[in-house]
Amino acid sequence: MERPVGMFSPQIYQIRKTALISRKAFAADKFIASWIEKERLLTGIGNALVVILNSPGCQWGLGSEGGCSMCGYSNETSEGITAENLVAQFTQALQANAGKKFQSVKIFNAGSFLDEKEIPRTAQEVIFRHISEIPFVQEIVIESRPEFVTASALKRLTTILQPEQILEVGIGLESSSDQIRIHNINKGFLFADFQKAVAIALAQKVRVKTYLLLKPPFLTEKEAIADAIQSAIDAIKAGSRSISINPVNIQTGTLVSVLWKAGLYRSPWFWSLKTVIQTLWKRIAEENLTASVDRIVSDPSGAGTQKGIHNCRLCNRTASKLVKEYSLQQDPAILNELHCSCHSLWKELLEQEEATRDFSLHFFERSINQN
Amino acid sequence: MLFDLLDISANGKYAKVVINDTSLVFPTLLTLTSTKENDINWLLGDSGKTLSINLPPSSLTQEVSNKKTTIQFVANILMHEPLQVSFVLNNLQKTTALIADRLKIVPPENALVMLQPNINPEILDAVTKTITKYKIRHVGITNFTPLLNTPRKALEFILRLRQLLPLDTLLYLFSPVPHTVVPILSYCGVDAFNSGYVWLATKSGLYLTAAGALPLTQLSEKICSCKICADLPISDLQKALLENNAAGLDEHNMLIYQAKVREVRYALKQKDLRSYVEQNLFDTFTATALRLLDSSWTDMLISRTATWLSTPIYHLTPLSYYRPAVQAFQRRVRERFDILPYKKIVVIFPCSARKPYSFSKSHRKFLEVINSLPKDKQAYIQQLILTSPLGVIPRELELVYPAAHYDIPVTGLWSEEEKAIAVQQLTSVLLKARKQKPIVIAHVSDEYLTLCQEAEQKLKTTFVYTAAGSKPTAFQALANLKKTLLAKIADSPPHQYNKDLEFVRALSDYQFGLGIGEKLFPEPVTLKQKPNQNIFLFKGKNRIGVIHHRTGQLMLTVPMGMALAKQKKYYLKLHGEELKGSTIFAVGVFEADPEIRPSDGVVILNEKDELLGVGVASLSGSDMVSMSSGRAAKVKTKVKSLTKAHSG
Ligand code: SF4
Ligand SMILES: [Zn+2]
Ligand SMILES: [Zn+2]
């Protein structure tokens, strides 16, 4: 596949190269993290086991095009990880959570599970065999760039699973706009590639969860809100029944973090996420898409911190809680419980940012965070 | 677009600009408005008439709206500081091609380009070249707020722009900034400010005052009685705010912001924005920026600061020591003043609160002593006045701005900084007479005496102290001075003394360069002055010139102009054979002496170096050449017949 290269690619590559020099070493046999979390399942609220594997990392991110402008996952990867290492990591993660009940397994490997350069075929299969043996697990979620979503790759895995177990592939579409995905994000694939991957997955009875990025760099907050809403609609229309909205969390060794340090980037506001979610549900209803949607979730990392999605000192905690609650209940009205005087400042900043294209206006939030 | 620069004070411009028949005065405000159709536009102008500006495009896509506004964005340059230089330069080429294309539809005088702060010289060079090449007159700046934490970078960026772009390019700061930094940024060269800070402050619950912003909830009594505050009790203002309905607060805040901009305009009209900036030291940005300006951007500031003003200078802060006018005066004294070879005695006097010094009680006493000496011996004496922060003022230059205009609290306490400046200036002036080795009589006491002792050490000479231990005006001290002076000149032969000639020559040297006085006035002249009136120069019975008593400036006449033109000093050159009207426009000036500063007297030459007339500069020499619109100088006297006036 031809990978479209964004305008910031050379600089992103440079930043990544420098960051990788100080990449922390992880033991090849140790998984990075695992936990149980409350999750919105297809059947309602349940528990999910999350496993983060120590893998060789995303080949797009580590390649000469530099990877995506906001992604620092490559910091948590290691060289020379073998199939045996990966299997060992997974079984250890299972042991660590032995006795706990969960209905979903989510595997993250800082890249594409379906890329055999990252997760060798044997490892993919052994891990899936393990999952197929866990009682009660109904959902398995993995992540992959669209180019690895092929019929044969999916078939290999689905045949291992039990018939009632559902596989969902998470694809980081980020935005349905090619301009934004290629240049602002440097994602390296087209919306058409995503559409093709969704079609392939659906044909294999594999579901697709679409990850959307809230506020790629060089977009105003207003543009970011509009883009996230439109992207979700486009992804749903392409056949993705799950949508996950990911507000940017600033990770080291990324272009976004370089901009942030220069004062030229602010992670999105909770108010913006609220707008995205509520407007999105309205649009879904307007466009008669309700039946095409299973869930629209958001599980922001770094929520309430300066690097992650945040409002003001006074309401960050409540906002985080409400977003979590919304994701579980899938009731956008929950977000109406958020009240804070920073709302009107947010609105004003949005206007000013749109009209000045000044990305540094968070300077003016100091006074509300001091009182 | 008609650009009329009315007044200038450093990089601050008071200008009238006419675009598409609408006339605006700068500096002014940019305000965001939304029309009935919910269409958002910028409005430029803060009093009555306004011009519309569309919203800037994204720096990545450069997509512009096709809204019909008077001023139109043609590009938003992708030059954010963290981006790789090679990438920015590369991308700029594409954007430049796009600009060229858009300028086929948008006339350059209506075109606006947005920039991001970046101090890389290569980038600034390339960007400003594009702007100048396409004659774009409107330049926007955004993403500026991080620079409020780094004044050095903020100055570097804005002043480099002001150096690289012609003065008639208007700089619009789209990033909202607090009103307290408006004066300093205007002094740096920003022409329009986004009033958006008003709403950001309002929505943050801040109540603006002239000096800053107060949290509204903390107020317990009314501070202002503008029409909003007068009507609304403070508790209602606070309640409105808590209910997220900032009724009134925004209007009050807007009045405060507007007042700041209007006060800046007033200060510019007085040609003294500097004083207003010093009165506005309300935040660390202003204080740091002013200090850095004075130390790192002196030449640029001086070149755009009027040499001749009549307004008083109040000493408000130690930063006043380094005002461009003060530094320029010290520099001219060092470079353009000389102690004449026949001066055998230098007398140092302390300054007085009353200016000019000669009018003060103390100096009248000092002068009485000098005048009581034999007429034919007075020529041997050079008087110097020791003062802060100007350092040393030769008696001949005591009328000159800012020597006669400086008002410093006389406390008798000198800071280390003031002392250092004065000692440095004194030693460098005394060094001028190192060949004739004059006797230095320091008729000073207290702090002044300490200063003289420091200078003495530095120069490795000894001064004679005639007022040590008493007041310099004390009878005993004055008698001592007279006795000492008489003793020192007793053996010297009589020497012809034309005090008035020395005066005008020293003044001419100060104005136009060392040695010019002799060229302008080869023969004796006499001065006549009535109190509070201009001083007239006479040659015999003929009036040949005038010195403006409020500024101390010698006004050029055609004969003086001819002599000056021969020296290739303070000249500007025009295309064309004769002067039409009383204004010289910058567009016609193709060469000018870079020494020229606003308000300096200038000679006006044609391409063949023939004198066309004399006038007064409105701009610096280099701005006259680089600007393509606006007034460069005012003509005072035209030459009647060219043949007579050939200067070559
Ligand atoms: S966001 Fe995904 S595709 Fe992009 S670099 Fe990171 S892991 Fe790779
Ligand atoms: Zn808040
Ligand atoms: Zn008021």
Side-chain angles (χ1 to χ4, degrees):
Chain A
M1 192 191 84
E2 223 4 86
R3 282 163 160 174
V5 177
M7 63 201 297
F8 299 117
S9 161
Q11 182 158 11
I12 297 172
Y13 175 69
Q14 280 305 323
I15 297 168
R16 180 98 55 221
K17 224 168 68 178
T18 322
L20 284 177
I21 296 171
S22 47
R23 168 161 67 164
K24 247 200 286 170
F26 289 97
D29 273 341
K30 286 246 167 64
F31 60 93
I32 288 178
S34 89
W35 65 87
I36 306 276
E37 65 184 17
K38 257 198 183 172
E39 172 84 353
R40 176 72 193 195
L41 303 170
L42 292 167
T43 49
I45 299 169
N47 286 330
L49 167 68
V50 182
V51 179
I52 300 179
L53 296 175
N54 176 14
S55 79
C58 170
Q59 296 306 295
W60 172 247
L62 294 167
S64 56
E65 289 88 2
C68 303
S69 60
M70 73 305 183
C71 176
Y73 290 151
S74 55
N75 297 326
E76 295 192 349
T77 59
S78 307
E79 275 172 307
I81 302 280
T82 63
E84 291 72 39
N85 294 149
L86 289 162
V87 171
Q89 288 177 29
F90 189 75
T91 44
Q92 274 174 46
L94 284 184
Q95 278 158 21
N97 293 282
K100 289 172 190 158
K101 243 182 117 179
F102 48 88
Q103 298 82 29
S104 166
V105 175
K106 302 204 280 186
I107 304 171
F108 297 110
N109 59 295
S112 297
F113 189 84
L114 298 177
D115 179 3
E116 291 176 28
K117 287 205 195 90
E118 297 172 47
I119 313 289
R121 194 184 286 213
T122 51
Q124 291 181 16
E125 291 174 5
V126 177
I127 289 171
F128 264 63
R129 200 151 299 132
H130 280 301
I131 296 171
S132 74
E133 286 158 8
I134 311 172
F136 311 115
V137 168
Q138 305 149 4
E139 292 177 27
I140 298 97
V141 186
I142 56 171
E143 309 181 291
S144 178
R145 287 174 58 86
E147 60 263 41
F148 306 113
V149 180
T150 61
S152 58
L154 293 177
K155 202 170 277 164
R156 262 190 311 108
L157 297 179
T158 48
T159 48
I160 299 171
L161 296 177
Q162 305 293 332
E164 69 280 3
Q165 287 182 315
I166 297 165
L167 175 61
E168 190 172 69
V169 182
I171 303 178
L173 172 65
E174 319 300 0
S175 164
S176 64
S177 149
D178 282 341
Q179 159 72 30
I180 294 171
R181 191 178 339 89
I182 291 165
H183 292 297
N184 300 57
I185 306 174
N186 197 41
K187 195 77 193 182
F189 66 78
L190 298 170
F191 185 60
D193 300 324
F194 168 80
Q195 285 174 308
K196 217 170 79 194
V198 176
I200 292 170
L202 295 181
Q204 296 304 316
K205 302 260 178 329
V206 170
R207 287 170 176 263
V208 173
K209 178 187 223 167
T210 303
Y211 291 104
L212 296 177
L213 189 67
L214 181 59
K215 207 173 173 193
F218 292 106
L219 286 192
T220 63
E221 191 106 1
K222 246 191 187 176
E223 286 172 335
I225 292 169
D227 177 62
I229 295 166
Q230 187 55 45
S231 297
I233 296 288
D234 292 338
I236 292 165
K237 284 183 179 165
S240 168
R241 300 183 58 89
S242 297
I243 302 288
S244 172
I245 297 161
N246 295 327
V248 166
N249 176 32
I250 293 148
Q251 300 170 359
T252 38
T254 62
L255 177 63
V256 166
S257 131
V258 168
L259 292 169
W260 178 70
K261 282 194 189 127
L264 299 178
Y265 184 83
R266 187 214 191 269
S267 302
W269 290 72
F270 278 116
W271 297 118
S272 305
L273 181 60
K274 174 191 167 184
T275 311
V276 169
I277 291 169
Q278 295 192 331
T279 319
L280 181 52
W281 280 112
K282 236 171 53 209
R283 284 265 319 258
I284 288 169
E286 281 164 15
E287 302 199 20
N288 293 320
L289 291 169
T290 316
S292 314
V293 181
D294 287 334
R295 51 191 166 188
I296 295 168
V297 298
S298 184
D299 181 16
S301 41
T305 69
Q306 282 302 300
K307 290 190 170 190
I309 185 170
H310 63 280
N311 276 0
C312 82
R313 211 170 55 86
L314 294 177
C315 68
N316 278 335
R317 207 165 294 171
T318 317
S320 296
K321 256 196 355 231
L322 290 173
V323 168
K324 230 173 237 141
E325 197 53 30
Y326 154 77
S327 289
L328 290 176
Q329 307 293 345
Q330 291 293 294
D331 175 8
I334 289 174
L335 298 173
N336 289 338
E337 285 165 36
L338 185 58
H339 300 281
C340 186
S341 59
C342 70
H343 183 262
S344 60
L345 179 62
W346 165 76
K347 259 174 73 182
E348 196 57 50
L349 283 167
L350 243 61
E351 288 278 290
Q352 282 291 327
E353 187 194 35
E354 195 60 23
T356 56
R357 295 208 75 88
D358 191 322
F359 301 118
S360 63
L361 300 182
H362 43 289
F363 181 90
F364 296 103
E365 291 168 36
R366 287 198 306 201
S367 61
I368 60 160
N369 285 312
Q370 270 162 10
N371 299 342
Chain B
M1 173 172 142
L2 191 130
F3 179 89
D4 193 4
L5 183 60
L6 303 171
D7 280 300
I8 184 165
S9 182
N11 283 348
K13 307 194 292 286
Y14 179 53
K16 199 176 107 184
V17 177
V18 183
I19 304 169
N20 295 13
D21 294 331
T22 304
S23 153
L24 300 178
V25 274
F26 284 82
T28 188
L29 287 178
L30 285 157
T31 305
L32 204 54
T33 63
S34 57
T35 61
K36 280 185 218 106
E37 299 82 45
N38 240 342
D39 218 11
I40 302 176
N41 267 347
W42 286 104
L43 288 185
L44 179 65
D46 68 301
S47 44
K49 287 185 188 140
T50 53
L51 287 177
S52 58
I53 305 177
N54 61 356
L55 300 196
S58 147
S59 54
L60 263 60
T61 64
Q62 303 294 347
E63 265 169 50
V64 283
S65 69
N66 40 19
K67 258 189 267 169
K68 277 279 153 274
T69 50
T70 311
I71 298 175
Q72 298 239 326
F73 273 105
V74 290
N76 179 4
I77 306 214
L78 187 59
M79 53 182 290
H80 302 75
E81 207 193 11
L83 299 178
Q84 286 170 345
V85 175
S86 56
F87 167 75
V88 169
L89 292 174
N90 232 315
N91 200 68
L92 181 66
Q93 284 181 4
K94 287 179 222 151
T95 315
T96 304
L98 192 91
I99 292 173
D101 217 47
R102 284 184 178 157
L103 288 177
K104 288 174 191 154
I105 306 158
V106 182
E109 61 167 46
N110 297 71
L112 170 57
V113 165
M114 187 75 104
L115 308 184
Q116 332 291 328
N118 194 319
I119 53 170
N120 177 281
E122 261 182 287
I123 290 176
L124 277 180
D125 204 57
V127 168
T128 51
K129 271 202 180 113
T130 299
I131 294 168
T132 342
K133 182 178 167 200
Y134 292 101
K135 300 194 163 56
I136 293 169
R137 309 291 287 277
H138 311 276
V139 172
I141 297 170
T142 188
N143 286 306
F144 185 79
T145 38
L147 277 64
L148 290 176
N149 292 326
T150 52
R152 185 181 295 274
K153 206 187 270 177
L155 289 190
E156 178 91 24
F157 176 59
I158 294 176
L159 279 95
R160 285 262 174 263
L161 281 184
R162 282 275 73 131
Q163 211 162 40
L164 294 164
L165 294 171
L167 205 59
D168 49 352
T169 312
L170 296 163
L171 270 194
Y172 303 102
L173 185 55
F174 278 91
S175 295
V177 291
H179 57 304
T180 49
V181 300
V182 165
I184 182 82
L185 287 177
S186 174
Y187 193 61
C188 291
V190 174
D191 298 300
F193 296 88
N194 175 5
S195 63
Y197 176 72
V198 166
W199 286 279
L200 295 177
T202 303
K203 302 295 161 76
S204 308
L206 296 175
Y207 185 83
L208 303 189
T209 67
L214 309 173
L216 180 64
T217 48
Q218 310 282 307
L219 291 188
S220 52
E221 58 185 341
K222 249 192 258 179
I223 288 182
C224 163
S225 46
C226 75
K227 68 175 196 288
I228 291 96
C229 299
D231 291 351
L232 221 51
I234 192 82
S235 56
D236 283 8
L237 266 183
Q238 286 166 334
K239 219 172 80 202
L241 180 87
L242 290 174
E243 285 162 4
N244 263 344
N245 144 41
L249 180 59
D250 55 347
E251 280 178 67
H252 159 86
N253 283 347
M254 186 52 140
L255 288 174
I256 299 287
Y257 208 99
Q258 251 171 12
K260 207 45 108 182
V261 171
R262 290 177 188 179
E263 282 173 19
V264 166
R265 280 209 296 264
Y266 176 80
L268 278 166
K269 234 163 125 178
Q270 306 308 308
K271 305 182 197 340
D272 190 13
L273 181 55
R274 172 64 184 220
S275 293
Y276 186 64
V277 173
E278 287 180 15
Q279 288 159 25
N280 275 271
L281 288 164
F282 296 133
D283 49 46
T284 43
F285 179 85
T286 304
T288 320
L290 194 55
R291 186 167 286 260
L292 291 170
L293 265 180
D294 288 343
S295 57
S296 310
W297 299 90
T298 326
D299 290 344
M300 184 191 202
L301 252 55
I302 288 177
S303 80
R304 285 174 174 162
T305 297
T307 315
W308 307 95
L309 289 180
S310 54
T311 40
I313 295 182
Y314 299 106
H315 172 100
L316 302 168
T317 133
L319 290 169
S320 311
Y321 306 152
Y322 304 101
R323 293 170 68 112
V326 170
Q327 292 201 59
F329 178 87
Q330 292 166 338
R331 212 183 263 190
R332 283 197 184 189
V333 166
R334 286 197 304 269
E335 291 168 3
R336 296 180 175 186
F337 168 74
D338 208 357
I339 295 176
L340 295 171
Y342 54 82
K343 299 286 176 193
K344 294 189 167 176
I345 298 169
V346 173
V347 189
I348 302 169
F349 291 121
C351 62
S352 62
R354 171 113 192 241
K355 314 271 172 6
Y357 300 118
S358 303
F359 291 12
S360 71
K361 262 196 194 138
S362 57
H363 278 253
R364 264 184 285 179
K365 286 184 182 156
F366 302 152
L367 288 171
E368 246 168 56
V369 172
I370 305 270
N371 291 334
S372 71
L373 301 174
K375 278 267 157 333
D376 56 3
K377 300 283 179 85
Q378 287 178 21
Y380 291 120
I381 300 167
Q382 172 68 54
Q383 301 177 45
L384 297 179
I385 297 134
L386 193 54
T387 183
S388 170
L390 291 171
V392 169
I393 297 167
R395 175 69 74 197
E396 292 78 5
L397 298 178
E398 68 171 357
L399 290 180
V400 155
Y401 178 84
H405 307 70
Y406 208 84
D407 199 351
I408 183 161
V410 185
T411 56
L413 305 170
W414 291 53
S415 71
E416 289 306 316
E417 224 170 338
E418 284 175 282
K419 282 189 214 163
I421 295 171
V423 170
Q424 207 240 323
Q425 196 71 6
L426 179 59
T427 46
S428 65
V429 167
L430 288 176
L431 273 174
K432 291 170 182 294
R434 92 193 120 214
K435 280 210 203 94
Q436 63 260 49
K437 290 211 181 81
I439 297 154
V440 180
I441 300 175
H443 188 69
V444 295
S445 61
D446 302 329
E447 283 281 2
Y448 296 91
L449 196 135
T450 327
L451 293 178
C452 287
Q453 285 170 334
E454 274 181 45
E456 233 181 332
Q457 272 182 10
K458 275 198 168 177
L459 292 165
K460 300 195 177 71
T461 53
T462 37
F463 294 177
V464 180
Y465 292 94
T466 47
S470 70
K471 273 180 141 193
T473 47
F475 179 78
Q476 197 48 50
L478 292 168
N480 194 11
L481 173 64
K482 183 166 179 177
K483 201 180 77 199
T484 313
L485 282 169
L486 279 172
K488 300 290 177 195
I489 52 176
D491 300 336
S492 305
H495 195 291
Q496 222 225 305
Y497 181 36
N498 188 330
K499 191 172 146 203
D500 291 350
L501 183 62
E502 277 187 16
F503 180 91
V504 283
R505 281 182 177 175
L507 183 57
S508 307
D509 281 4
Y510 177 85
Q511 288 191 216
F512 304 112
L514 197 61
I516 298 296
E518 273 179 35
K519 310 281 183 201
L520 297 196
F521 302 101
E523 287 160 33
V525 293
T526 47
L527 300 179
K528 282 195 183 124
Q529 182 184 24
K530 285 189 195 136
N532 283 322
Q533 280 182 20
N534 289 343
I535 305 169
F536 292 107
L537 270 65
F538 284 87
K539 192 160 152 191
K541 286 210 169 85
N542 296 329
R543 208 165 90 178
I544 58 156
V546 60
I547 294 165
H548 202 279
H549 79 287
R550 287 187 190 283
T551 60
Q553 184 181 19
L554 167 72
M555 307 311 286
L556 280 180
T557 61
V558 169
M560 291 179 208
M562 251 177 316
L564 195 56
K566 265 192 207 142
Q567 306 300 318
K568 272 284 204 150
K569 292 275 189 190
Y570 286 79
Y571 69 92
L572 59 89
K573 286 198 194 180
L574 289 182
H575 293 296
E577 280 301 303
E578 60 178 312
L579 291 177
K580 296 183 200 87
S582 59
T583 302
I584 308 262
F585 290 102
V587 67
V589 180
F590 68 93
E591 198 185 310
D593 186 349
E595 294 266 4
I596 297 171
R597 287 164 52 193
S599 77
D600 275 332
V602 288
V603 292
I604 304 154
L605 309 177
N606 65 13
E607 288 147 315
K608 289 177 270 175
D609 282 350
E610 290 162 329
L611 184 72
L612 301 177
V614 292
V616 173
S618 307
L619 303 172
S620 75
S622 47
D623 286 330
M624 288 179 190
V625 178
S626 68
M627 268 171 66
S628 53
S629 59
R631 192 183 66 206
K634 273 188 228 156
V635 180
K636 287 281 164 203
T637 320
K638 290 181 205 177
V639 169
K640 302 262 158 46
S641 151
L642 267 185
T643 43
K644 267 199 276 168
H646 199 285
S647 69

